[in-house]
Amino acid sequence: MHVLVIGSGAREHALLLALQRDPQVDALSIAPGNAGTAALATTYDVDITSGEAVAQLATEIGADLVVIGPEVPLVLGVSDAVRAAGVACFGPTGAAARIEGSKAFAKDVMTAAGVRTALSEVVDNPAHLDAALDRFGPPAGNRAWVVKDDGLAAGKGVVVTDDRTLARAHAAGLLDDGHPVLLESFLDGPEVSLFCVVDGDSVVPLLPAQDFKRVGDGDTGPNTGGMGAYAPLPWLPAEITAAIVEDIVKPVAAELVRRDCAFSGLLYAGLAITPDGPSVVEFNCRFGDPETQAVLALLESPLGQLLHAAATGRLAEFPELRWRDGAAVTVVVAAENYPARPRIGDVIVGAEGEKVLHAGTRRNEDGTIVSCGGRVLSVVGVGDDLTAACADCYTTVEQIRLPGSHFRRDIGQAAAQGRIRL
């Protein structure tokens, strides 16, 4: 099987590594890729937001399966064009990808499916903003204001704050740019990322993970695309994971089928485990980054065969997933200034080996690898337990040299020390 992966981040690097372990995958290609993925797959330069361009590439190289990593091409309907060209594609249709592309659409689906989620209100007129803020902030009994961009924002369109001035400024800025604003009630409790491979009504969950959105240790500073993750979650009982699948993911998948936009691909449920039970923070339509790097490091089942089964309507026939014992941790090494405009072009030293997954990197003509994005590298560590996985990961992180770079030093530590309780 020849698999073409679309994307250029550490998520796609992790996908390639896992696909490489599948005995039925004998050829790998990637577009556009990065300096690290070039060692694993044939690289092509193509506009990944163009369905026509991606479908043409898949046809020309004889791909048996296209796996689309990022959300933007999915929301733009690239998977529709690939399927129309007769190539199997792992990734939802543009219509189904609205579960991530429009938070208002996602809320409507969840309401219809009877799924617990935060109370919300869409504000598209600045004149209504102040009254809406009064309904959703601390004066209304919430611990914080939750202000979101209704569309795609690469994980950085959310502000959670107890400062009304900051909440209002973020909302007003979004409205000034023509973006509707979603205000939500605050969900109190540890967060969980649960990836599920979905094929219509069939749902196969992967290991639950937890990611870290804030840039600084102790969950301080602004939101980012993600600074680290770990899997599995020692504090999350198996019965709660099962309840998430049965009471949240399956009803949402069924509702999308009912709306004639059945989901085929990776449905990502972001949840808070509140005192009242799991409640949805958001849905995404693709593998999350950086959780994918940790989750796939533990997968023993053949990934290519799993994704191909989902893409061809045969997921219900796939055997139960097999997982490596132990834990995995991912730490993101970010460029100076990230999540603001990152410094780029710096030489990276120590970024070799399968534990280091590339994202914002490129190779110069002289062979040196330099930074070219905000989240530059993801480092993955594995071990018999979370403490060992953390130690393995941070040993590698400390060997990397990138001027001005920064990373969180507390990924997975609260869980390893037993400080997360329900």
Side-chain angles (χ1 to χ4, degrees):
M1 179 165 46
H2 183 177
V3 182
L4 168 62
V5 175
I6 300 299
S8 61
R11 164 184 50 213
E12 288 73 36
H13 195 157
L15 285 166
L16 289 176
L17 286 172
L19 288 164
Q20 191 180 50
R21 299 194 296 267
D22 187 331
Q24 288 193 14
V25 174
D26 54 12
L28 288 169
S29 297
I30 189 166
N34 57 50
T37 60
L40 301 171
T42 304
T43 302
Y44 295 92
D45 186 14
V46 69
D47 178 5
I48 66 171
T49 65
S50 167
E52 181 182 1
V54 173
Q56 181 178 345
L57 173 63
T59 302
E60 288 179 352
I61 67 175
D64 300 296
L65 174 67
V66 175
V67 178
I68 300 177
E71 63 273 21
V72 172
L74 290 169
V75 171
L76 293 176
V78 170
S79 67
D80 301 79
V82 173
R83 290 189 182 93
V87 181
C89 185
F90 184 80
T93 64
R98 286 181 295 164
I99 197 76
E100 178 171 0
S102 169
K103 294 179 179 62
F105 173 78
K107 289 289 186 182
D108 187 57
V109 169
M110 285 186 274
T111 298
V115 168
R116 183 187 293 114
T117 185
L119 298 174
S120 65
E121 179 178 338
V122 175
V123 180
D124 56 10
N125 186 332
H128 301 156
L129 177 58
D130 285 303
L133 286 170
D134 290 341
R135 287 192 288 273
F136 279 87
N142 289 313
R143 281 179 48 193
W145 280 275
V146 181
V147 184
K148 298 182 177 181
D149 188 330
D150 184 51
L152 297 177
K156 293 177 282 186
V158 181
V159 163
V160 180
T161 179
D162 59 3
D163 184 335
R164 190 183 192 282
T165 300
L166 182 60
R168 191 186 191 287
H170 182 63
L174 293 173
L175 290 169
D176 287 346
D177 290 338
H179 295 233
V181 170
L182 187 78
L183 298 180
E184 288 187 340
S185 57
F186 179 79
L187 295 176
D188 197 7
E191 293 196 2
V192 173
S193 299
L194 184 65
F195 299 166
C196 293
V197 179
V198 174
D199 166 23
D201 287 324
S202 298
V203 175
V204 175
L206 306 187
L207 290 180
Q210 185 178 63
D211 78 328
F212 296 75
K213 287 294 187 187
R214 301 278 187 155
V215 71
D217 288 357
D219 290 328
T220 57
N223 271 359
T224 70
M227 293 299 293
Y230 67 94
L233 309 182
W235 48 268
L236 186 70
E239 56 267 27
I240 292 185
T241 302
I244 292 169
V245 174
E246 293 298 324
D247 301 338
I248 292 176
V249 181
K250 285 186 176 180
V252 165
E255 176 62 19
L256 291 173
V257 170
R258 191 188 69 78
R259 295 181 181 222
D260 199 27
C261 56
F263 196 97
S264 175
L266 196 290
L267 188 57
Y268 165 150
L271 311 115
I273 311 301
T274 74
D276 297 321
S279 187
V280 177
V281 176
E282 64 179 355
F283 273 105
N284 292 330
C285 64
R286 39 71 195 182
F287 280 102
D289 184 342
E291 300 100 317
T292 298
Q293 292 87 295
V295 171
L296 292 187
L298 300 172
L299 180 66
E300 291 188 338
S301 293
L303 180 66
Q305 295 171 55
L306 171 65
L307 303 188
H308 191 266
T312 55
R314 296 180 295 105
L315 181 62
E317 305 167 15
F318 199 82
E320 184 177 353
L321 298 187
R322 294 178 286 106
W323 298 94
R324 167 181 173 168
D325 291 335
V329 174
T330 299
V331 171
V332 171
V333 178
E336 183 176 352
N337 296 328
Y338 179 81
R341 184 175 182 177
R343 169 175 155 173
I344 62 174
D346 289 306
V347 174
I348 306 167
V349 177
E352 298 79 25
E354 284 200 358
K355 292 182 181 179
V356 183
L357 309 185
H358 288 233
T361 66
R362 63 177 173 81
R363 190 179 295 274
N364 283 339
E365 291 182 1
D366 63 3
T368 57
I369 296 176
V370 300
S371 60
C372 66
R375 292 191 295 170
V376 182
L377 303 167
S378 283
V379 179
V380 180
V382 295
D384 292 338
D385 57 24
L386 194 49
T387 298
C390 286
D392 183 49
C393 182
Y394 279 105
T395 296
T396 303
V397 170
E398 296 290 355
Q399 296 170 0
I400 295 170
R401 297 291 176 265
L402 172 61
S405 63
H406 59 97
F407 58 89
R408 283 186 58 160
R409 298 178 180 274
D410 63 345
I411 304 299
Q413 289 184 0
Q417 296 167 3
R419 291 188 282 115
I420 300 180
R421 294 184 175 88
L422 299 182

